[in-house]
Amino acid sequence: MGILRLAVSTILIACLLNSVPAYSQPSPLITFTKKNITLREALDEIHKQTNYTYAGESIFTQYSHRISISVRNAPLSLVLDSCFRDQPFTYEIVGTAIVVQARPVRDQTVHGWIFDEKKQPLEGVTILVRGEPMTAAVSRVSGEFSIHMHFADDRLVFSSVGYEMQELMPKEGEDAVVILREKIGELSDVVVVHNGYTEKTLKASTGSSDVVGTALISRRVSTSLMDRIDGVTSSVLFNKNIQANTNQSSITIRGRSTIFANPNPLIVIDNFPYYGDIGNINPEDVESITILKDAAAASIWGAASGNGVIVITTKKGKLNQAPKWSFTTSQTVGEKPDLYYQPVLSSADYIDIQQFLFRNKFYNGALSPFQHGAITPAVEIFDAASKGTLSSTDSATQINLLKGQDKRRDLSRYFYQHSLNSQYALNVTGGGAKNNYYLSGGFDENRSNLVRNLYKRATLTGSNTYLVLQDRMEVTTGVSFASSKFYNNNSGVVPGYYPYAKYADARGNPLPINIGFKNSYIDTVGGGQLLDWHYVPLNELKNSDNTTNLADYRINVGIKYAVRKGLDIRAYYQYGWGDSIGSNYQSIQTYFARNLINSFAQYKNGLFTFPVPQGGILDETRNTYAANSARLQVNYQDSLFRRGLLNATAGAEVRDIEGESRRTRLYGYEKGVGSSRPVNYDSSWQQFPNFGTSKIPYLDLNGNTAERYISYYVNGDYTYLGRYTLSASARWDESNLFGVKANQRGVPLWSVGGAWFLSREKFYKADWLSFLKLRVTDGFNGNIDRSTSAFTTAYFNQGGNSYGVGSATITNPANPSLRWEKINIFNAGLDFSFREDRFGGSIDYFIKEGEDLIGESPLDPTVGLTTFRSNVANMSDHGIDFSMHANNRIGNIHWNSILLFSYVEDKVTVYKEKIGPVYNYLGGTSISPIVGRPLYSLFALRWMGLDSKGNPQGLLDGKVSTQYGAMLGSGDLNDLVYMGPLTPRGFGSWRNNLSWRQWGLSWNIVYKLGYVFQRSSILYSYVFTGGSPGSPDYERRWQNPGDEANTNVPSMVYSLDRSRDNFYQNSTVLTEKGDHIRLQDIQLSYDLVRSDIRRLPVSRVKIYLYANNIGIIWKANHAGLDPDYVTGVPNPRTLAIGLKTDF
Amino acid sequence: MNRTMWSFFGSWLLLILAGGLVGSCHKQDFLGKNPNSTLIVPSTLSDFQSLLDNDLVMNQVPALGEISADNYYMGDDLWQIAGTRVQNAYLWKPDIFVGQGSVEDWNFPYQQVYYANVVLDGLGKIKTDNSNLATWNDLKGQALFARAFGLFNVAQLFAPVYDVTSADSDPGVPLRLTEDVQAQVVRSTIKQTYNQITGDLRLAAGLLSSKVLMTFVNRSSRPAALAMLARVYLSMRKYDSAMIYADDALSLSLPLLDYNSLNAGAITPFPRQNAEILFQAQFVNYSSSNSQVLAYGTTSCFADSTLIKSYDSNDLRLVLYYASVGGPGVGLNGSYTGSIFPFGGLATDELYLIRAECKARKGDTGGAADDLNTLLLKRWKTGKFSNLAFSSSKAALDSVLLERRKEMPFRNVRWSDLRRLNKESASIMLTRVTNGLIYTLAPIDKRYVLPIPPDVLQLSGIANNPR
């Protein structure tokens, strides 16, 4: 009623003013800046500067919005236009009067149709009334829409994913027809979230997700898809330093919320979870990658979603598009790895230590003629010199020669090379009125930086969509095929621990090294009847024949049938099959075969017989999986109440993944002929030389696995007035968990969420922040540990027992209270953008509470088992994901900058079981949770300096002590010093893209903060026995009384005191900070399109250079170590040159 | 509600109905599938036999007793690399484990107890009838034997020697009698410990088959159970009982191996499955040690020189049990395990020695001599052995005890014998010289009871042994 009265009175005023004759005068210029003022205040200011008066004040003041304005010497009309934008009034200049008038009222429902450029109806287009945030509608499958218009001059705004926004003022009495044009270029503002079930725009969702689009996927050059998202998404951490036996995943999303169950995120490709090797996916075929982080986003995946979900959507064709060909290629050259990166003991120091040991008679046992085990060359020389068979000058010369040798030199020269990766991909996409297609083929060949290692991959992908039954039914089919082959002939590791080994002489002829048996023994044993027993590293490399073949295919069929407006039924089916065949042929030339044949040789009456046939050995492993997944789903979309929009989905799903693994070994195998020989597995054979008896290794096995799921789910969201969205989901999962009662197989999981489009509120006045949305979600994800069981579980030992019958080992004690793991995730987020989306970003705060987590607790060994897995633990994570982007144009230079920051703090909140002594917790090498600390924490023992004899000191019962065993064995967890988390607390990246005309420059800086690592030092007992290469810290060791003031490196003592070394290794003094910043990569590109050069034979060509793994910019530690590579060698720098062409 | 909504909910209903229909018919089959074909829930008699046939678990004995005993000594170079536990046990240090858990000497016997309990609890759920009763009985006997075997071995190391005067108060070992891992168990008294062991063994002897199957010497039999009873009662110094069970066992006509039939040149002259073995078991392998101290071919591991000197040159045991390993002494040769590792099971020779000792203690010098002669005839070179005769029961006993040591070095009995004989006032003083220092262990010393492993102390809360 109010509006009507307002309208009537305004019209009256307008009529009165109309009688005043108009005359022309130059438009005055206005300068002023005001924030959040009323319309009246603005008009007052205009009046002050221009003397223009205004009329209609009595009514408009209370109905107008507040405005912010900033103008300098702007013409009056422009200023007024912005004052009246989106106001329920309009104005007219009559002479020097500004007449404020109510807008003409229409108050009727407008009906219309939306099509794309090819006249295909567009579904799901959002229709808003400009200036009326309370009204919104969405187009249906038919492209139809209807929306209520209040004012006659209302403009409708049409927006949809992938299309340019359009405005229209519908004519009265006519159906509006709108044609939306496809958007070209990067979808920066309309990002689509694929959760594997449905799609929606990122802006419309209540959940927390990250989307990596095509452009970003193709920014990085790599064969592997997962590399493409490293460092470009917030909250996804790529773990580089993974300790064995700690159940860490190489990718974690928002920290950790499980302990012993599966730690890996779920990977979904084209609607269904993928069970094959992710390496089979060619990144060129991927349209987008969506990372689902919170409960609302991920709970749709139920019991498998506890670690987050990565949804991969492959490229599809489009209707009514001429065939578009595209070809990409790249060549990447990589440096040799820096083998000198890890600080190790020099050959000279190593030999000095060996001499020290020799003098202490450490090698007496090994040197005894009754022992045949290999001894290192230096010890051989010392022995010969002490026996007088070698003169002291000769021995000194030989020792000096050895001191000058470094095995890394030969290793680098003969085992490593520059890597060369070549990638080629060709695809074509297009479509007619009733169908579309995408076809692609890719070929990759990677020459590893290890000599004789190679990887080849060929991929073939095709997908088709047909519209049938008067376009009511959409049928999609897709086939993907990948075949790859690995040649693993070089592990980069040569057995034999002494650092002065030499693999070739000056002319490059291969040399043997001392492993296995003493040279004096090898040269004489068997009187020529045995096979050569020397180990020659270069010959091993030459003779290695180890390959893995992978094949993988997926077939998708999807049917979508529109029952009626807003209601469709969908059915999806996917069949996936994958096969991996590993074949390791170790010919009789290899040490492995020769050693096995020799050690089983039987000596009788001067003759040898050979139970292991004299021939090669072929080991084959084969792992196959077949996955059948089917889903039936109903989608419903309608404005359930006026001004609202309901999206709902419900469905049921069945999945069955059957795996088979098989391993076989053939003895006496000759590759060319394909023949093998039988062996006697049952008899025990005397081992040569004198190692007791042994059976010929029997490795054949065949095992089957099955994972089966039945799930039911509903989820939906309701958006009211375009401003308030409520979402909810529920899911019930059941699986064939082992040894679980039928009624405990299932788990209900759910989520609820809400979003508030604050900037669409009437009262929202912050024009500087044009888009603001608040989101909150809460719900449960699940996780599963397939290794536990409610019943006592055993497995049959391969090959049975020594008496030729089957034997079984208990793996798991009975656990009647076994439950599913549940992870509660609360997420609150804020999305914002301003200056026409030139700046924008989001910030999310999350809390993850893992309940009933499977924990492995040490059991009192008296029980008969040392560990037990049960639902004993709770964990709690909380953190922040922040991302911010800026797009700026400075002259011709376009600058785009993306800052990502994630912070996550996890701690174990409940761990019910008692734990053993402190040594279990040290070094982060096993999972040993302490309540109140992160799951992966570094604990150390208090370092109290060296004593006056160079012995490391710690604290025992509050007193300085050198009782290492007692300190390591303390049961008091308060003796542990918490050094910090082993995984980064804060991490992220800062990516910048600069473009100038055809040139583009992009670089990515990544960082990891707030964590620690433990470095290694000189551990004498391990060096003595060959277990550690030692550390150059040796040179700074305690040698004389008084040194303890200047060094922390313990003295060298002749006693194999492991406890002393273990204490030192795990003391606080060897902890380093992990914080670092790295320049990850730089890309320089030149991009030509036909509009630039008319004679360009193709429509577009882009050439780029890409440098990766460039190096660390800053690091907190002074140990000279890259915290991503505490052990091992950093990834070598690579340089790629690439070409992308569209025809 | 409008029509759209009806059809919307209708479709859902249809879907749920369809899902339910599929579910009710096949869901339980579908979800009942075993997720891994190599996993089983042990529930059949054959499953239980497979558990008991796990020789890597069930046929292992602790090594710490022999390591602490006086049948051998180590050179300094071997001691250096022997590993902390062996180093300290060898020198009878008060703290052997210095905080390091995962002690096989405790864990393996209790693993045997656990397997036995799983089988015993499982057998209770199987209905017996004529077709399976014999197997059921045999399995129950095997499980009871295994439990007693494990408990006895652990009691020899971690509990004081049985003394009738203080058995009610001396701390024994924890008795775990159920597979429930959550069950809380404290240390029993020595009396309870030995009552459990002897009770299990007596029951086992009644259930087990009377024949030793040479093909399955890893499984126990009535002779094995009786031999074990004899060994247990001997360790308790209940010589009457020991003799009864040794006698019972020997009445089952158990053969002795004639050492003349063996190849002294072979590294492992004794077959793993030979006629004399009643129950096969070997010393457990230490995962934490660099070197297997007690094994064939270990450099600088030497047999005690007085022990070596006590063998006659015509005694075949000298060449069969020992071999040159380089250095000043002789090392170990093959054993009844048929491998390089020492034998820790039961064999017929022990029964003769037990019976001889019991007879000697009762003053039956003739009987003692008969048993020794029967045994030694098979140990000496053919034709070289002349029968022994004793003038006094002390002479008989001394001779029996010497022959016991000579017959069964490195058989996991010497440590028990030392404890027992010192109780009998044998006053055996042990001495070691390592790295130039002299270490001794007095006949009656707290260190004859080893400390409880630290992880056990922490996780169970049981009391440690005073050292």
Side-chain angles (χ1 to χ4, degrees), chain B residues 148-149 152-153 156 162 193-195 197-199 201 225-238 241-242 346 350 354 420:
Chain B
F149 188 71
F152 176 75
N153 284 331
Q156 298 317 294
Y162 181 90
T193 299
Y194 282 84
N195 278 347
I197 293 166
T198 52
L201 286 172
L226 294 172
M228 194 63 204
L229 276 164
R231 183 191 272 192
V232 172
Y233 280 115
L234 189 76
S235 82
M236 296 166 77
R237 297 187 287 138
K238 293 193 171 178
S241 302
L346 295 158
E350 185 178 354
I354 291 172
R420 168 172 74 92

Side-chain angles (χ1 to χ4, degrees), chain B residues 174-245:
Chain B
L175 301 175
R176 295 202 67 92
L177 306 174
T178 157
E179 69 164 311
D180 179 8
V181 299
Q182 310 282 14
Q184 294 294 313
V185 174
V186 295
R187 288 183 77 161
S188 61
T189 65
I190 277 288
K191 191 171 185 180
Q192 288 166 334
T193 299
Y194 282 84
N195 278 347
Q196 187 65 44
I197 293 166
T198 52
D200 280 355
L201 286 172
R202 266 194 300 269
L203 209 50
L207 291 162
L208 285 163
S209 78
S210 59
K211 266 188 105 82
V212 183
L213 289 176
M214 211 201 286
T215 42
F216 294 121
V217 284
N218 63 311
R219 296 180 189 166
S220 50
S221 56
R222 183 172 304 150
L226 294 172
M228 194 63 204
L229 276 164
R231 183 191 272 192
V232 172
Y233 280 115
L234 189 76
S235 82
M236 296 166 77
R237 297 187 287 138
K238 293 193 171 178
Y239 300 109
D240 291 345
S241 302
M243 188 159 118
I244 289 168
Y245 289 110

Side-chain angles (χ1 to χ4, degrees), chain A residues 874-889:
Chain A
N874 288 355
M875 275 181 76
S876 165
D877 295 21
H878 67 103
I880 289 168
D881 290 333
F882 174 76
S883 77
M884 173 94 200
H885 67 263
N887 296 299
N888 279 304
R889 194 174 284 278

Side-chain angles (χ1 to χ4, degrees), chain B residues 32-250:
Chain B
K33 170 107 176 174
N34 186 343
N36 191 329
S37 61
T38 59
L39 287 178
I40 55 157
V41 173
S43 49
T44 66
L45 294 178
S46 110
D47 291 343
F48 296 140
Q49 185 61 66
S50 295
L51 287 177
L52 296 169
D53 274 341
N54 190 336
D55 53 342
L56 299 177
V57 172
M58 306 308 288
N59 301 82
Q60 307 277 326
V61 298
L64 270 184
E66 203 64 59
I67 284 167
S68 307
D70 60 348
N71 283 330
Y72 80 114
Y73 66 98
M74 282 192 251
D76 289 353
D77 53 332
L78 175 61
W79 186 87
Q80 275 293 345
I81 55 167
T84 313
R85 189 193 311 164
V86 177
Q87 282 175 336
N88 292 334
Y90 179 72
L91 301 178
W92 314 295
K93 295 262 179 81
D95 185 3
I96 291 177
F97 306 114
V98 288
Q100 293 170 28
S102 299
V103 176
E104 288 88 347
D105 303 273
W106 180 281
N107 296 6
F108 268 84
Y110 275 111
Q111 206 176 348
Q112 293 156 9
V113 172
Y114 174 64
Y115 276 51
N117 286 331
V118 168
V119 172
L120 290 170
D121 290 358
L123 285 173
K125 293 173 201 154
I126 290 182
K127 281 201 187 116
T128 52
D129 54 41
N130 285 336
S131 67
N132 67 10
L133 187 63
T135 317
W136 192 95
N137 281 340
D138 191 51
L139 282 167
K140 182 158 184 182
Q142 287 184 48
L144 289 165
F145 174 88
R147 187 161 78 184
F149 188 71
L151 289 173
F152 176 75
N153 284 331
V154 87
Q156 298 317 294
L157 300 179
F158 301 100
V161 62
Y162 181 90
D163 186 331
V164 72
T165 59
S166 58
D168 272 327
S169 55
D170 283 345
V173 296
L175 301 175
R176 295 202 67 92
L177 306 174
T178 157
E179 69 164 311
D180 179 8
V181 299
Q182 310 282 14
Q184 294 294 313
V185 174
V186 295
R187 288 183 77 161
S188 61
T189 65
I190 277 288
K191 191 171 185 180
Q192 288 166 334
T193 299
Y194 282 84
N195 278 347
Q196 187 65 44
I197 293 166
T198 52
D200 280 355
L201 286 172
R202 266 194 300 269
L203 209 50
L207 291 162
L208 285 163
S209 78
S210 59
K211 266 188 105 82
V212 183
L213 289 176
M214 211 201 286
T215 42
F216 294 121
V217 284
N218 63 311
R219 296 180 189 166
S220 50
S221 56
R222 183 172 304 150
L226 294 172
M228 194 63 204
L229 276 164
R231 183 191 272 192
V232 172
Y233 280 115
L234 189 76
S235 82
M236 296 166 77
R237 297 187 287 138
K238 293 193 171 178
Y239 300 109
D240 291 345
S241 302
M243 188 159 118
I244 289 168
Y245 289 110
D247 219 35
D248 276 0
L250 286 170

Side-chain angles (χ1 to χ4, degrees), chain A residues 54-119:
Chain A
Y54 58 93
E57 74 261 45
S58 63
I59 40 170
F60 68 74
T61 44
Q62 57 180 311
Y63 293 100
S64 57
H65 309 144
R66 285 179 171 265
I67 48 181
S68 294
I69 195 160
S70 174
V71 287
R72 175 166 291 274
N73 292 330
L76 174 67
S77 57
L78 206 76
V79 177
L80 285 174
D81 276 351
S82 57
C83 287
F84 281 88
R85 167 174 292 173
D86 296 342
Q87 300 280 13
F89 305 96
T90 183
Y91 72 94
E92 198 177 343
I93 296 176
V94 182
T96 54
I98 301 160
V99 181
V100 180
Q101 39 189 275
R103 292 160 65 187
V105 173
R106 185 153 163 183
D107 203 13
Q108 70 178 84
T109 298
V110 176
H111 184 254
W113 303 83
I114 307 173
F115 301 103
D116 65 10
E117 289 160 290
K118 305 295 175 193
K119 296 282 158 45

